[in-house]
Amino acid sequence: ENAPEDFVLSFIDYDNNSADLQYIKNSAYNEIIIGYEDGSLRPDGLLTRAEGAAVFTRILELGIALN
């Protein structure tokens, strides 16, 4: 599901001009990505195996098709 136009990201370190901004907003809105305890997203960081597994689990639980 797409995030509503008025959805505001709470991450402290995302680039508001990023080409990926809508993907980040949609993923956060659907709680596929939740960020870190310090409020960061760390968009330039590497995903650990556990973090990747958590993302895929959330996608599968939501029944999102990976096309």
Side-chain angles (χ1 to χ4, degrees):
E1 182 176 352
N2 289 333
E5 290 294 322
D6 61 348
F7 179 74
V8 177
L9 289 171
S10 60
F11 304 123
I12 59 174
D13 61 342
Y14 72 95
D15 181 359
N16 202 29
N17 297 314
S18 170
D20 300 326
L21 183 60
Q22 195 58 47
Y23 295 110
I24 295 169
K25 280 186 164 186
N26 292 342
S27 297
Y29 178 73
N30 289 290
E31 297 180 352
I32 295 170
I33 57 173
I34 56 175
Y36 295 91
E37 290 180 3
D38 64 357
S40 67
L41 176 61
R42 301 179 192 165
D44 296 323
L46 297 176
L47 216 56
T48 67
R49 220 178 279 179
E51 291 167 338
V55 167
F56 283 118
T57 298
R58 291 185 198 114
I59 289 170
L60 292 172
E61 287 174 348
L62 290 171
I64 296 173
L66 299 174
N67 298 355

